[in-house]
């Protein structure tokens, strides 16, 4: 091992004394620093806000907020998850003046941990390539609008770069009466994506569920903690 | 500077001048030859697993690049391949991230870490066949996971999108890798533990622990809502800070002194840099949730930790820069050094940028915008990816016994990737900043913002094309190297004609003149 200290100095003694030449201090040190952050960033929040429950919204606790997504809503949430909606749409409202979320009309108040107690996985999101969807149901309650939008986004939102989700829709031959769930208005949809005569565009079960879920997104409920001041 | 040290290995430190080389005795040559043989034997023990992991990494790099181009184009031309559910943006994007993070960057980092461990401990790698086998497990797990994401089984938790059947095989493979690294370390014959080894020891302990803990808590524990979000970002930021970063820094600490033949500037700075990173980096995750519905203390603690990252970053930057001082001319002829120095500079820049982005006033603008994506690529591409390329340029010929087939191709690889990432980060930083300013002005209609960002997103697609071109060129070089094209290794590939011709006719293990071994050391 004669060749690695030959840099014109004589470091051998001090280096051998260095704790950094032994595994136990290094391994112990890095294990402890790592554990500390787990306690701080994972366990502490779990203890602090992990056991929150819904709040009663009617006298006598007959109604509550929030409500878990069940049935079709839960299926819709899964469709939202499997198609990665959260890569462009957030679901969180920041307090004024931290951003313009409230001024843009995306919500009447900041969101709090209570709003998300049933969200597994959480869908807070980190990107706003598209608008925030925290309260999209309150903002846009029309199922017809959502279907047209999902089928061909520029038809309702000119200039949109949202992909078409027409793979969630079926082109079906009209047998007897046309379905009452079919897309009726095709204004702004390119000709070749409109149904040929005798056919109709009908949302699949997944599309119906997704729209139901989107319409259910409404966190405008007043909460006692909504006034919390810091971002 | 009595404590400066250089990485142990075949070459040892080089004399500072040609004069010193000329006065070298036969005895020193003999010693050098023996050291070279010993290192070659240690390299040989890592050949199979390291090449298998590098080859797997490159496969995923190409897959990830295809997904990247698709995802990038879709953001300014949403009609592009929009008929099929499995090609929708929201699936292609996480598939890109996961193949790049767990395929390319992680498997490349495993190869780098194991190769360095064997070299620096001067011990043959433990369980080489088992480690090579673990790559099969890893690849199958990741392939199943990537297909899962594309077919709709993503968890939608960023950085942890791989479905439940995909994470366990990857974690198991990683445990094998860690055990191999620790056992090799325990069998070390080199008493001095070089700075790169600290980082590797830490990384191979941190990552399997982190990955397992995060997946277990997510899949089996009742963690939901905001606590799941803090777990999410504790994990995701630590994947960068406690896995890719330490391995990348380990490679830089090894390769810079190795290539220029000069010890690291300061031992004390190495120690400061290492421990301050260990202390601060793992607390950074909360800065992804600034302004969000999380406890304010958590965000504040993360901001403090993020700003404190300036300490390890500056310590490492000074250390690397002072080591390089007056040796920058080597960048002209060493592909390894050019990639590594580019990566080291990108590390400094992306880290300082990250500290700034964590400040509330800056985050108010950059959060939720493409700016963040640009920042992430400065880190994972400018730093991690370029560092892996640099490492491969150095390590692969020493494992295969073949030099790279074409210096021109290597040059083209460097420039397409370097220009690509500069364009990428430049476009998204400017576009993202403008996007953030507009988002914060409630009077600006949303569609106006979308319209404004489109040219920057188009520039990003051009950048993706450039980088992918570089990846394909490098894949070609790698395949040629493995299949026996290219000259037998007599000296390293350089971009210096004279140095090239000086090497011809010499054998690796039998340097016939001291100037030959000097070149070996330096390049």
């Amino acid at each position: 091992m004669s060749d690695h200290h030959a840099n014109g100095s004589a470091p051998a003694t001090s280096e051998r004394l260095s704790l950094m030449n032994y595994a136990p201090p290094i391994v112990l040190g890095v294990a402890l620093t790592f554990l500390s952050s787990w306690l701080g960033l994972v366990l502490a929040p779990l203890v602090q806000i992990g056991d929150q429950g819904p709040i009663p919204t009617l006298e006598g606790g007959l109604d509550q907020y929030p409500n878990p997504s069940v049935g079709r809503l839960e299926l819709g949430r899964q469709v939202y998850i499997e198609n990665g909606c959260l890569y462009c749409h957030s679901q969180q409202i920041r307090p004024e003046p931290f951003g313009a979320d409230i001024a843009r009309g995306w919500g009447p108040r900041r969101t709090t941990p209570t709003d998300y107690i049933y969200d597994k996985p959480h869908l807070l999101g980190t990107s706003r390539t598209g608008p925030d969807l925290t309260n999209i149901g309150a903002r846009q309650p029309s199922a017809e609008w959502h279907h047209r939008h999902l089928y061909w986004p520029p038809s309702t939102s000119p200039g949109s770069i949202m992909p078409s989700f027409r793979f969630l829709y079926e082109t079906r031959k009209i047998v007897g009466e046309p379905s009452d769930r079919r897309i009726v208005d095709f204004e702004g949809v390119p000709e070749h994506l409109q149904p040929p005569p005798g056919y109709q565009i009908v949302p699949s079960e997944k599309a119906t569920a997704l729209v139901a879920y989107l319409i259910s997104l409404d966190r405008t409920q007043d909460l006692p903690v909504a006034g919390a001041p810091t971002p | 500077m009595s404590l400066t040290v250089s990485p142990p290995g075949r070459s040892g430190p080089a004399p500072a001048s040609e004069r010193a080389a000329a006065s070298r005795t036969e005895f020193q040559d003999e010693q050098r030859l023996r050291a070279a043989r010993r290192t070659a034997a240690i390299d040989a023990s890592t050949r199979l697993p390291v090449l298998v992991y590098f080859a797997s990494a490159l496969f995923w790099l190409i897959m990830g690049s295809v997904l990247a181009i698709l995802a990038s184009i879709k953001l300014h031309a949403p009609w592009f391949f929009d008929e099929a559910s499995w090609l929708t943006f929201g699936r292609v994007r996480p598939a890109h991230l996961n193949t790049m993070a767990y395929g390319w960057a992680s498997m490349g980092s495993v190869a780098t870490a194991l190769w360095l461990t064997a070299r620096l401990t001067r011990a043959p790698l433990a369980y080489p066949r088992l480690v090579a086998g673990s790559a099969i497990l890893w690849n199958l797990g990741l392939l199943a996971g990537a297909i899962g994401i594309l077919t709709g089984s993503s968890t939608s938790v960023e950085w942890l999108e791989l479905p439940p059947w995909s994470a366990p095989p990857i974690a198991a493979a990683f445990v094998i890798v860690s055990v191999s690294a620790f056992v090799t370390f325990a069998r070390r014959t080199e008493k001095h533990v070089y700075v790169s080894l600290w980082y590797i020891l830490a990384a191979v302990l941190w990552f399997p622990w982190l990955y397992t803990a995060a997946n277990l808590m997510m899949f089996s524990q009742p963690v939901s809502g905001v606590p799941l979000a803090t777990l999410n970002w504790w994990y995701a930021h630590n994947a960068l800070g406690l896995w890719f970063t330490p391995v990348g820094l380990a490679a830089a600490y090894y390769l810079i002194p190795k290539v220029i033949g000069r010890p690291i500037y300061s031992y004390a700075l190495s120690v400061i840099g290492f421990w301050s990173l260990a202390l601060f980096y793992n607390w950074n995750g909360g800065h992804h949730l600034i302004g969000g519905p999380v406890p304010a203390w958590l965000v504040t603690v993360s901001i403090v930790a993020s700003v404190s990252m300036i300490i390890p970053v500056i310590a490492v930057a000074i250390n690397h820069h002072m080591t390089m001082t007056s040796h920058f001319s080597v960048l002209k002829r060493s592909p390894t050094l050019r990639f590594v120095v580019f990566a080291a500079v990108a590390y400094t820049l992306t880290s300082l940028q990250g500290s700034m982005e964590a400040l509330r006033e800056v985050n108010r603008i950059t959060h939720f915008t493409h700016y963040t994506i640009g920042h992430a690529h400065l880190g994972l591409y400018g730093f991690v990816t370029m560092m892996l390329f640099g490492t491969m340029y150095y390590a692969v010929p020493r494992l295969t016994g073949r030099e790279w087939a074409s210096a021109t191709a290597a040059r083209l690889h460097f420039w397409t990737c370097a220009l690509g990432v500069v364009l990428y980060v430049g476009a998204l930083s400017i576009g993202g900043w403008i996007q953030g300013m507009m988002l914060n002005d409630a009077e600006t209609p949303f569609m106006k913002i979308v319209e404004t960002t489109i040219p920057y997103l188009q520039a990003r697609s051009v950048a993706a094309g450039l980088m992918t071109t570089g990846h394909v060129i490098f894949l070609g070089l790698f395949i040629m190297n493995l299949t026996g094209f290219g000259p037998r290794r007599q000296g390293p590939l350089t971009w210096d004609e004279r140095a090239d011709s000086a090497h011809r006719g010499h054998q690796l293990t039998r340097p016939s003149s001291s100037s030959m071994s000097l070149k070996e050391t330096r390049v």
Side-chain angles (χ1 to χ4, degrees):
Chain A
M1 310 304 128
S2 58
D3 56 352
H4 76 281
H5 292 317
N7 56 353
S9 57
T13 317
S14 338
E15 253 177 58
R16 289 220 181 93
L17 288 177
S18 169
L19 282 178
M20 297 306 284
N21 280 335
Y22 300 93
I26 298 176
V27 169
L28 188 69
V30 300
L32 287 178
T33 55
F34 179 72
L35 198 61
S36 76
S37 77
W38 180 80
L39 293 173
L41 296 187
V42 180
L43 195 64
L46 202 55
V47 170
Q48 186 184 356
I49 52 176
D51 60 349
Q52 281 188 347
I55 54 160
T57 52
L58 274 182
E59 290 294 322
L62 287 176
D63 210 350
Q64 66 170 43
Y65 174 85
N67 288 292
S69 299
V70 290
R72 175 177 286 178
L73 295 186
E74 182 51 27
L75 175 62
R77 226 175 85 81
Q78 289 306 322
V79 178
Y80 189 95
I81 289 167
E82 71 182 38
N83 290 305
C85 302
L86 99 159
Y87 296 104
C88 291
H89 297 284
S90 56
Q91 287 191 27
Q92 53 178 305
I93 303 297
R94 297 176 296 175
E96 300 284 8
F98 201 82
D101 303 9
I102 295 172
R104 278 192 174 277
W106 284 345
R109 59 162 174 88
R110 71 172 301 178
T111 48
T112 76
T114 309
D115 290 305
Y116 305 97
I117 52 174
Y118 295 116
D119 272 25
K120 187 180 168 80
H122 76 96
L123 298 169
L124 294 177
T126 51
S127 171
R128 283 176 174 170
T129 304
D132 184 89
L133 299 182
T134 308
N135 295 302
I136 185 63
R139 213 157 65 233
Q140 192 51 266
S142 154
E144 198 188 327
W145 184 92
H146 281 290
H147 282 303
R148 221 176 107 201
H149 181 234
L150 288 169
Y151 186 77
W152 189 252
S155 67
T156 55
S157 318
S160 170
I161 53 171
M162 183 167 115
S164 160
F165 288 90
R166 62 181 184 280
F167 54 80
L168 295 176
Y169 292 81
E170 294 158 13
T171 306
R172 264 193 233 153
K173 200 172 174 132
I174 301 174
V175 183
E177 288 296 300
S179 163
D180 52 7
R181 296 189 299 132
R182 75 187 192 281
I183 298 179
V184 180
D185 185 1
F186 282 96
E187 199 193 326
V189 177
E191 200 99 342
H192 70 280
L193 297 178
Q194 296 185 15
Y199 285 80
Q200 57 186 343
I201 306 283
V202 182
S204 65
E205 196 185 340
K206 280 190 171 184
T208 310
L210 176 60
V211 168
Y213 169 69
L214 289 172
I215 292 173
S216 81
L217 286 177
D218 181 346
R219 293 169 174 119
T220 53
Q221 167 79 37
D222 259 341
L223 282 184
V225 283
T230 47
Chain B
M1 257 198 292
S2 62
L3 287 176
T4 55
V5 285
S6 55
R10 166 171 47 77
S11 62
S17 67
E18 295 290 332
R19 199 154 36 97
S23 68
R24 198 188 295 254
T25 64
E26 295 247 330
F27 173 70
Q28 282 171 316
D29 269 356
E30 187 59 33
Q31 262 194 335
R32 183 173 287 279
L33 183 59
R34 244 185 280 135
R37 285 192 182 130
R38 204 164 50 219
T39 307
I42 284 167
D43 270 354
S45 74
T46 70
R47 183 177 294 140
L48 178 70
V50 168
L51 285 178
V52 166
Y53 265 92
F54 272 145
S56 308
L58 274 177
F59 167 78
W60 290 111
L61 177 69
I62 300 297
M63 292 296 122
S65 302
V66 172
L67 293 164
I69 288 180
L70 267 175
S72 180
I73 292 177
K74 278 164 177 289
L75 267 199
H76 54 79
W79 37 262
F80 188 69
F81 284 108
D82 69 346
E83 303 86 356
S85 61
W86 61 281
L87 285 175
T88 196
F89 175 81
R91 297 191 190 180
V92 172
R93 183 202 186 279
H96 157 69
L97 186 144
N98 282 272
T99 50
M100 285 303 200
Y102 301 108
W104 159 244
S106 285
M107 297 189 87
S109 295
V110 163
T112 301
L114 291 182
W115 178 73
L116 282 175
T117 302
R119 276 204 156 200
L120 290 169
T121 56
R122 295 184 198 252
L125 187 72
Y127 322 124
R129 282 161 191 277
L130 186 64
V131 172
S134 73
I136 301 173
L137 196 62
W138 189 315
N139 281 322
L140 290 178
L142 184 55
L143 186 66
I147 293 172
I149 290 173
L150 289 176
T151 52
S153 298
S154 159
T155 67
S156 222
V157 176
E158 287 185 74
W159 286 84
L160 286 166
E161 285 98 342
L162 290 175
W165 61 79
S166 178
I170 294 176
F174 206 103
V175 169
I176 294 173
V177 167
S178 289
V179 168
S180 164
F182 274 106
V183 172
T184 309
F185 184 81
R187 294 173 181 168
R188 68 189 185 279
T189 64
E190 168 59 53
K191 277 186 184 154
H192 172 67
V193 178
Y194 184 64
V195 48
S196 296
L197 266 179
W198 311 339
Y199 282 106
I200 292 171
L201 278 185
V204 298
L205 175 74
W206 278 331
F207 190 68
W209 187 359
L210 171 72
Y211 192 61
T212 312
N215 274 294
L216 275 181
M217 291 191 75
M218 188 175 71
F219 286 126
S220 71
Q221 294 293 310
V223 184
S224 63
V226 171
L228 180 57
T230 65
L231 168 72
N232 183 179
W233 290 109
W234 170 77
Y235 169 80
H237 209 91
N238 282 349
L240 303 170
L242 305 185
W243 169 229
F244 298 127
T245 301
V247 175
L249 291 182
Y253 265 113
Y254 184 80
L255 291 169
I256 292 176
K258 198 74 176 168
V259 173
I260 62 177
R262 189 186 202 204
I264 277 291
Y265 170 70
S266 162
Y267 185 79
L269 277 178
S270 314
V271 178
I272 293 170
F274 176 77
W275 283 114
S276 50
L277 179 136
L279 261 181
F280 299 132
Y281 221 147
N282 46 14
W283 283 86
N284 276 14
H287 71 214
H288 291 265
L289 296 163
I290 300 174
V294 289
W297 66 263
L298 188 145
V299 168
T300 304
V301 168
S302 284
I303 293 174
V304 171
S306 307
V307 174
S308 305
M309 277 304 292
I310 292 174
I311 298 167
V313 169
I314 295 292
V316 168
I318 292 176
N319 221 359
H320 288 170
H321 183 83
M322 294 307 284
T323 307
M324 279 296 295
T325 303
S326 77
H327 287 69
F328 283 99
S329 62
V330 187
L331 288 175
K332 277 192 208 142
R333 54 195 173 89
S334 165
T336 296
L337 195 65
R338 201 182 282 187
F339 276 100
V340 169
V341 168
F342 185 100
V345 171
Y347 171 68
T348 308
L349 292 179
T350 194
S351 302
L352 296 179
Q353 186 192 21
S355 297
M356 293 302 112
E357 260 179 285
L359 299 174
R360 281 192 173 88
E361 275 314 299
V362 180
N363 194 270
R364 200 169 69 87
I365 297 163
T366 61
H367 196 25
F368 298 122
T369 72
H370 301 302
Y371 187 94
T372 312
I373 313 294
H375 167 65
H377 282 79
L378 185 54
L380 262 172
Y381 199 95
F383 168 44
V384 176
T385 295
M386 295 300 259
M387 190 69 79
L388 287 176
F389 286 143
T391 309
M392 289 168 84
Y393 271 105
Y394 190 89
V396 170
R398 284 162 174 80
L399 296 170
T400 62
R402 293 258 167 210
E403 244 329 313
W404 298 101
S406 161
T408 310
R411 197 180 275 120
L412 210 59
H413 172 211
F414 176 80
W415 283 111
T416 46
C417 292
L419 288 176
V421 71
V422 168
L423 175 62
Y424 189 112
V425 177
L428 288 199
S429 299
I430 298 168
W433 190 270
I434 295 171
Q435 182 193 7
M437 300 291 279
M438 293 174 90
L439 273 169
N440 285 351
D441 173 21
E443 302 308 311
T444 309
F446 198 86
M447 278 309 163
K448 177 79 188 153
I449 305 173
V450 172
E451 191 189 317
T452 306
T453 56
I454 284 183
Y456 301 97
L457 297 172
Q458 288 167 334
R460 190 250 300 265
S461 289
V462 174
L466 272 172
M467 288 141 97
T468 305
T469 307
H471 304 163
V472 172
I473 292 171
F474 186 61
L475 178 73
L477 277 174
F478 183 78
I479 291 174
M480 285 175 82
N481 194 295
L482 282 193
T483 51
F485 288 91
R488 281 194 66 79
R489 209 183 117 68
Q490 295 163 348
L493 170 80
T494 67
W495 287 327
D496 179 347
E497 288 301 318
R498 280 172 306 148
D500 279 343
S501 56
H503 287 165
R504 268 173 210 130
H506 297 308
Q507 291 294 316
L508 168 65
T509 50
R510 195 167 299 166
S512 60
S513 73
S514 51
S515 71
M516 161 66 198
S517 43
L518 178 66
K519 289 287 185 200
E520 268 295 296
T521 302
R522 282 196 164 169
V523 182

